[in-house]
Amino acid sequence: MKNNIALFSIVVLVSCSGNQATKHAHRDDAHIKTSIEDKQFNEVGDSLLVAYDFPEKWYNGVFDEGHAMSKNDSVIQQKFDKLDFFDKINGKKKLGNNAGKEYLETKKNVKIDSIIEFDSSKIGHNKLVYIKSYKTFLDTTYDFPPTERSVDILFYHNNKFQKKANVYKEINYPFSVDIKLGYLNKNGILTTKKFEIDEESINYIGTKTEDLNKFLKQ
């Protein structure tokens, strides 16, 4: 009888411990989920990008012999220039040129000139690192090598790299420029708009919207 009582007590104790462990696990999961929901992304870019509708094409008047720049073109160009935020970002920490090569998906013909961390944040067990970088394309088909400026967000979970999201990209070729302007709001919604710039005009390519919450892990 005593053995049965002792055995019953052990079973009850183990069962209670298991229930408590399960409750703690649920509370931890709920805490992480709540911390993810409560935290906000750091804003990047200008919110006016979302609201402004660009025409398919306008003239920038770079060359005097080119197409004349109208008053409306001038207004559009001023708004376009205002939305280009790359030079407005002040870096906090310059990273080594080798740092982040795997994150930036560097190819053999691309040289990273510099990487600068300008912001960071934590959302639950996720760390977000905001960087701006300069790269040079080692392409001999051009008289002058193309260059790239970009702004990216690196996602880490438990200090392990997970994903990269590109917010801004400008590739300068000898006679043209490809540019992607972006705006990331506090809710993690990233809006980007692409443009192609030639010697006399700017062409609007299109808009893309992406929810970066999908990169967060509990």
Side-chain angles (χ1 to χ4, degrees), residues 10 17 43 82 97 184 191:
I10 293 172
S17 299
E43 281 187 289
K82 182 180 178 182
N97 288 4
L184 175 68
T191 301

Side-chain angles (χ1 to χ4, degrees), residues 104-145:
L104 298 178
E105 299 173 0
T106 302
K107 299 179 181 178
K108 291 183 179 180
N109 65 336
V110 178
K111 179 174 72 75
I112 297 177
D113 299 312
S114 67
I115 305 174
I116 300 170
E117 178 183 334
F118 65 89
D119 206 351
S120 64
S121 62
K122 290 201 71 175
I123 303 179
H125 288 169
N126 302 274
K127 181 179 180 181
L128 281 60
V129 178
Y130 301 72
I131 63 173
K132 61 186 292 188
S133 62
Y134 300 82
K135 291 184 280 187
T136 300
F137 293 86
L138 307 177
D139 193 335
T140 56
T141 59
Y142 296 96
D143 294 333
F144 301 98

Side-chain angles (χ1 to χ4, degrees), residues 2-214:
K2 290 182 178 179
N3 290 338
N4 290 338
I5 293 175
L7 180 61
F8 177 76
S9 299
I10 293 172
V11 171
V12 171
L13 180 60
V14 170
S15 176
C16 290
S17 299
N19 289 337
Q20 288 298 322
T22 302
K23 290 179 180 178
H24 283 304
H26 287 322
R27 279 201 295 268
D28 290 341
D29 290 342
H31 173 72
I32 293 171
K33 184 176 180 181
T34 301
S35 64
I36 289 177
E37 291 174 348
D38 290 344
K39 294 292 184 179
Q40 294 180 323
F41 286 75
N42 294 347
E43 281 187 289
V44 181
D46 193 321
S47 61
L48 292 177
L49 177 73
V50 180
Y52 191 70
D53 292 325
F54 287 94
E56 291 185 3
K57 182 176 184 177
W58 72 93
Y59 294 93
N60 51 28
V62 174
F63 298 100
D64 293 335
E65 64 273 16
H67 195 286
M69 189 177 190
S70 68
K71 184 176 180 180
N72 187 52
D73 289 337
S74 179
V75 172
I76 297 169
Q77 185 63 38
Q78 288 176 13
K79 291 182 178 180
F80 176 81
D81 292 338
K82 182 180 178 182
L83 294 172
D84 190 335
F85 61 89
F86 187 88
D87 290 329
K88 301 173 185 177
I89 295 176
N90 296 316
K92 291 184 178 180
K93 180 170 63 175
K94 185 174 182 180
L95 307 179
N97 288 4
N98 290 326
K101 278 190 176 181
E102 58 181 306
Y103 314 135
L104 298 178
E105 299 173 0
T106 302
K107 299 179 181 178
K108 291 183 179 180
N109 65 336
V110 178
K111 179 174 72 75
I112 297 177
D113 299 312
S114 67
I115 305 174
I116 300 170
E117 178 183 334
F118 65 89
D119 206 351
S120 64
S121 62
K122 290 201 71 175
I123 303 179
H125 288 169
N126 302 274
K127 181 179 180 181
L128 281 60
V129 178
Y130 301 72
I131 63 173
K132 61 186 292 188
S133 62
Y134 300 82
K135 291 184 280 187
T136 300
F137 293 86
L138 307 177
D139 193 335
T140 56
T141 59
Y142 296 96
D143 294 333
F144 301 98
T147 59
E148 178 184 305
R149 309 191 307 171
S150 62
V151 173
D152 299 283
I153 303 174
L154 309 181
F155 288 77
Y156 296 83
H157 181 257
N158 292 331
N159 297 320
K160 183 178 180 181
F161 174 74
Q162 300 293 325
K163 194 71 177 179
K164 177 196 77 173
N166 178 249
V167 182
Y168 174 101
K169 182 178 291 186
E170 178 187 278
I171 303 178
N172 288 275
Y173 299 98
F175 299 104
S176 64
V177 178
D178 291 342
I179 186 167
K180 177 169 73 174
L181 300 177
Y183 168 68
L184 175 68
N185 68 18
K186 292 182 177 180
N187 297 320
I189 304 302
L190 172 62
T191 301
T192 57
K193 297 189 177 185
K194 288 186 177 182
F195 305 85
E196 292 179 353
I197 305 174
D198 58 32
E199 295 175 313
E200 67 172 17
S201 64
I202 297 180
N203 298 279
Y204 169 55
I205 306 303
T207 299
K208 180 181 178 181
T209 302
E210 187 175 14
D211 187 351
L212 300 191
N213 286 282
K214 63 184 179 183

